[in-house]
Amino acid sequence: MQPEPAEPASAPVTAPAQPPSRPTLADVAAHAGVSASTASLAFSGSGPVSDATKQRVFDAAAALGYGGPDPRARSLRRGRSGIVGVVLEERVRTAFLDPVKIQMLDGIAEGIAPLSAGLLLLTDSGGAGGAGEHAVSIESAPVDAVVLVGCSPRLAESVEVLRRRGIPAVAIEGAADDGVPEISIDNLPATRRGAEYLRELGHTRVAIVTLPVDAARTRGPLTPELERDCAVGVTSERLAGARTVFPEAPAQVAGASSIEEGRDAALALLADPSARPTAIIAQSDLLAAGVILAAEELGIAVPAELSVVGFDGIRVDGLQHDLTTLVQPSVAKGRAAGEAVVSLLAGEQPDSVCFTSTLHVGDTTAAPPR
Amino acid sequence: MQPEPAEPASAPVTAPAQPPSRPTLADVAAHAGVSASTASLAFSGSGPVSDATKQRVFDAAAALGYGGPDPRARSLRRGRSGIVGVVLEERVRTAFLDPVKIQMLDGIAEGIAPLSAGLLLLTDSGGAGGAGEHAVSIESAPVDAVVLVGCSPRLAESVEVLRRRGIPAVAIEGAADDGVPEISIDNLPATRRGAEYLRELGHTRVAIVTLPVDAARTRGPLTPELERDCAVGVTSERLAGARTVFPEAPAQVAGASSIEEGRDAALALLADPSARPTAIIAQSDLLAAGVILAAEELGIAVPAELSVVGFDGIRVDGLQHDLTTLVQPSVAKGRAAGEAVVSLLAGEQPDSVCFTSTLHVGDTTAAPPR
DNA sequence: TTGTACGCGTTATCAA
DNA sequence: TTGATAACGCGTACAA
């Protein structure tokens, strides 16, 4: 059967090429000899349509090259776009260097699976995907809900914008404002547990490598001022946990959660052989891997001469040690956030969730050298 | 001025509480005493509206808690959603373990910045974000255009679906079908250049660590069968480049582009001390880092006893060597893809682009031991 | 089982 | 500079 143009064949040959707009459901319906609503039902599959009719509609669609209902019109009509936004506090490049973030993203995808929704990347700097400033932002993204990942100084703003727009949100490790459920973990007690383990092993000279304390990614020794002004919840909570056990421990601030930053911080902490710590608490596994790297470079044996504790429980690509660390359920966090989104969209009011981390004892911790 | 209800005030007092839906632009216009179209112009900012009127509109919006124009209706009307899809061949978790992919993603974000568009994650397995099967797919995502990342067996299908839907697409390292511009690099000549450099240094016993050859991620020695059936363009092109110079070089297939896989492959290649290669060509930097790791474990000095060449030019977190590698412009590739999208959406027909990689000589290559 | 009528919220076009 | 009108393409009561 020949594809039949939607317009009458008698159109003047000299007519300007009519805008080759995509055929619409109405065109398909006309071609199939049914009404638009019937065609709609045939596509959504939910309505009572005879198989014969359905087939006619599909044939017509094929003949016309109809690519299915326009998602834009569909979402206007339904009031939902089928898209969930993920707001990162940094540009894509930076965020996805962190395995924990990737795991959370993966968990989110898993959690929202029942929604059949897509995942739209946004950043809280107003741009999308980490690029320009003009980009689609949380101010105007066609999202049904949003997951805010990581506690950012700008979190409050983002929450405000979303409330104005009436878009439900969930925050992972963010300050829970009003109606925004928060998915978090037991940062303080978990770190305390790791510190206690070191104390039980006999360590007294312990140092800390912290995650960033501000948006400027200040590096260097942790001064009382920095500690007081620390704008990053995770950092200060984990720090407080360590301080509970080792109140006087010197700390070095890393500029990011990376092996390189961990190495640099550790080199600073291990510089003075006379005042060398026997254990280092790193606030992330990547930092811990960097600490181990630094130790190897300095000829310090891990764990014989230096114990190292991490945080996260990720597999660090290339690291040959089984890191002693606080295993947090990153994927589960993401999944919980996703499930909270599902719940919110169902009109419920999900509770905040706080997960528990568990101490995994690997081969990077031992009694201090005598 | 009093807020004026959109509905006649004579509505029966006993009327059921109307669903507290978000205020619309029409509500705002009514409240401000202007027409809907004027209010629209006030928000889009593009039309000629007096400042006084504009202010009245904004005030009304604030009073009503109007969160700005609904992006769904806007995109229906404008015929564009302001969203660009990125189709990955794997689940999010896997894709983002590869720094090259992340860089490309970042470049894409940069390239499409002029569009003010968001980035929607899709996979070619029909699901979004790597999760369930029901998820928003390229079959129904409200995207204005799509970037296909990586050559996947399913690429042809994806292209077909997109053509049916009339959605323009760009492929990175994918088989360029009909109207789909392709962004690629000179895989074969680049690898040949690296191999030639090794030959110039005096190497004759060279081995290869390849990227995966099939979707099953088969590992082990590269058999003639595997080489013949290799379904991954990048792998076979880079292989062919090396073969040009070292036709007989033994090769080991890695299951993924990771340090761990590179290490395992190298351990196999270096197992027999009597038949040990003096140089290894790795098809990615992560693999190369794994090769170096393996060498260190075996007490083989790099580059004194073993030269290593990578591919990509990424910074491997934690690697202390300056890798000799073929630097490909990953970000530029992504950016080019993004720019091609912009061009497509402007109604142009961008050409395919093939970038050139450059040999970076680091400290992992030297003359073979005598 | 199918068709009719209407509205989702916005913006482009034109006339005033 | 502003306002009226008509789509944009689809889903969904409701009637037939």
Side-chain angles (χ1 to χ4, degrees):
Chain A
M1 187 192 279
Q2 283 292 351
E4 197 173 339
E7 293 295 318
S10 59
V13 186
T14 57
Q18 52 199 0
S21 60
R22 302 259 99 209
T24 77
L25 190 51
D27 297 334
V28 173
H31 189 98
V34 301
S35 80
S37 54
T38 301
S40 172
L41 291 181
F43 272 100
S44 66
S46 50
V49 183
S50 73
D51 285 348
T53 308
K54 217 179 274 186
Q55 197 52 53
R56 279 225 311 289
V57 172
F58 291 151
D59 289 348
L64 262 47
Y66 177 69
D70 185 325
R72 293 179 289 256
R74 185 208 287 269
S75 72
L76 171 59
R77 187 54 241 234
R78 300 231 259 229
R80 284 203 180 168
S81 63
I83 295 180
V84 173
V86 178
V87 178
L88 305 165
E89 57 191 317
E90 343 157 72
R91 49 187 318 186
V92 171
R93 191 192 301 210
T94 312
F96 292 168
L97 249 31
D98 186 345
V100 176
K101 291 236 169 78
I102 294 173
Q103 290 190 357
M104 290 196 301
L105 197 68
D106 207 56
I108 293 171
E110 206 176 315
I112 64 167
L115 290 179
S116 306
L119 235 34
L120 183 66
L121 300 183
L122 301 167
T123 69
D124 60 6
S125 54
E133 346 178 335
H134 304 285
V136 162
S137 63
I138 56 175
E139 315 247 4
S140 66
V143 291
D144 296 337
V146 154
V147 178
L148 301 151
V149 175
C151 53
S152 160
R154 278 183 275 253
L155 187 112
E157 282 179 56
S158 302
V159 170
E160 177 50 28
V161 169
L162 292 170
R163 171 169 34 242
R164 252 208 350 258
R165 292 189 58 197
I167 294 177
V170 177
I172 297 183
E173 296 290 351
D177 283 65
D178 335 45
V180 178
E182 180 184 3
I183 313 296
S184 56
I185 56 167
D186 56 342
N187 285 301
L188 192 155
T191 308
R192 186 179 56 213
R193 218 167 309 133
E196 281 166 352
Y197 176 66
L198 287 176
R199 187 175 54 189
E200 286 161 16
L201 285 175
H203 291 273
T204 52
R205 301 216 318 279
V206 174
I208 304 169
V209 177
T210 82
L211 289 166
V213 294
D214 54 27
R217 307 203 170 283
T218 309
R219 294 176 182 77
L222 181 71
T223 63
E225 294 75 40
L226 280 177
E227 187 161 355
R228 190 192 56 224
D229 299 341
C230 176
V232 182
V234 173
T235 304
S236 46
E237 288 170 24
R238 294 187 189 172
L239 191 56
R243 286 268 188 261
T244 308
V245 182
F246 301 108
E248 305 300 334
Q252 187 79 9
V253 180
S257 181
S258 74
I259 297 179
E260 198 66 34
E261 290 280 349
R263 173 173 164 271
D264 294 347
L267 288 179
L269 290 171
L270 299 172
D272 181 359
S274 65
R276 185 169 283 172
T278 60
I280 291 184
I281 297 174
Q283 288 193 341
S284 83
D285 282 354
L286 288 181
L287 290 174
V291 170
I292 292 172
L293 195 65
E296 280 174 359
E297 285 174 30
L298 296 173
I300 301 173
V302 174
E305 297 173 280
L306 181 73
S307 290
V308 179
V309 177
F311 203 119
D312 284 340
I314 60 169
R315 234 182 103 279
V316 178
D317 194 14
L319 181 67
Q320 293 306 308
H321 280 280
D322 174 21
L323 196 59
T324 294
T325 190
L326 289 140
V327 182
Q328 67 158 310
S330 306
V331 177
K333 271 166 78 181
R335 189 168 37 227
E339 286 164 357
V341 163
V342 173
S343 165
L344 279 170
L345 290 178
E348 299 159 24
Q349 181 58 46
D351 292 323
S352 292
V353 181
C354 186
F355 283 94
T356 302
S357 313
T358 60
L359 177 65
H360 166 78
V361 176
D363 60 20
T364 60
T365 40
R370 296 182 306 124
Chain B
M1 189 189 278
Q2 281 295 346
E4 198 173 337
E7 292 296 318
S10 61
V13 187
T14 57
Q18 53 200 4
S21 58
R22 305 255 97 210
T24 77
L25 190 51
D27 297 335
V28 174
H31 190 99
V34 301
S35 79
S37 43
T38 301
S40 173
L41 289 182
F43 272 100
S44 66
S46 52
V49 182
S50 75
D51 285 350
T53 307
K54 217 180 274 187
Q55 197 52 53
R56 278 225 312 287
V57 172
F58 292 151
D59 290 348
L64 262 47
Y66 176 69
D70 185 324
R72 292 179 290 254
R74 185 206 286 267
S75 72
L76 172 59
R77 184 57 242 225
R78 299 232 262 227
R80 285 202 179 168
S81 63
I83 295 180
V84 173
V86 177
V87 178
L88 305 165
E89 57 191 319
E90 340 157 78
R91 47 185 320 182
V92 171
R93 188 191 304 208
T94 312
F96 292 169
L97 249 32
D98 186 347
V100 175
K101 290 239 168 75
I102 294 171
Q103 290 190 357
M104 291 196 301
L105 197 69
D106 207 55
I108 293 170
E110 205 175 317
I112 64 167
L115 291 179
S116 307
L119 236 34
L120 183 66
L121 299 184
L122 301 167
T123 70
D124 61 6
S125 54
E133 347 178 335
H134 302 286
V136 162
S137 63
I138 56 173
E139 315 246 4
S140 66
V143 291
D144 295 337
V146 154
V147 178
L148 300 152
V149 176
C151 54
S152 159
R154 277 183 275 252
L155 186 112
E157 280 179 57
S158 302
V159 170
E160 177 49 29
V161 169
L162 293 170
R163 173 173 28 244
R164 250 204 357 253
R165 293 189 58 200
I167 295 177
V170 177
I172 296 183
E173 295 290 351
D177 282 64
D178 334 48
V180 179
E182 180 185 3
I183 312 295
S184 56
I185 57 167
D186 56 341
N187 284 302
L188 192 155
T191 309
R192 186 179 56 212
R193 217 167 309 134
E196 281 166 351
Y197 176 66
L198 287 176
R199 188 174 53 189
E200 286 160 16
L201 286 175
H203 291 274
T204 53
R205 300 214 321 277
V206 174
I208 304 169
V209 177
T210 82
L211 290 166
V213 293
D214 53 28
R217 307 202 172 283
T218 309
R219 293 176 182 77
L222 180 71
T223 62
E225 294 73 42
L226 280 177
E227 187 162 355
R228 191 191 53 222
D229 299 340
C230 175
V232 182
V234 174
T235 303
S236 45
E237 289 170 23
R238 294 185 189 173
L239 191 56
R243 286 269 187 260
T244 308
V245 181
F246 301 109
E248 306 299 334
Q252 187 80 9
V253 180
S257 181
S258 74
I259 298 179
E260 198 66 35
E261 291 279 348
R263 173 175 165 271
D264 294 346
L267 287 178
L269 289 172
L270 299 172
D272 181 359
S274 64
R276 186 170 284 171
T278 59
I280 291 183
I281 298 174
Q283 289 193 339
S284 83
D285 282 356
L286 288 181
L287 290 175
V291 170
I292 292 172
L293 195 66
E296 280 175 359
E297 286 175 28
L298 295 174
I300 302 173
V302 174
E305 297 173 280
L306 181 73
S307 290
V308 179
V309 177
F311 203 119
D312 285 339
I314 59 169
R315 235 182 102 279
V316 178
D317 194 13
L319 180 67
Q320 292 308 304
H321 280 280
D322 174 20
L323 196 58
T324 295
T325 190
L326 289 140
V327 183
Q328 68 158 310
S330 305
V331 177
K333 271 166 78 182
R335 189 167 41 226
E339 286 163 357
V341 163
V342 174
S343 165
L344 280 170
L345 290 178
E348 301 158 24
Q349 180 58 47
D351 293 323
S352 291
V353 181
C354 186
F355 282 94
T356 302
S357 313
T358 62
L359 177 64
H360 166 78
V361 176
D363 61 19
T364 60
T365 41
R370 296 182 306 125

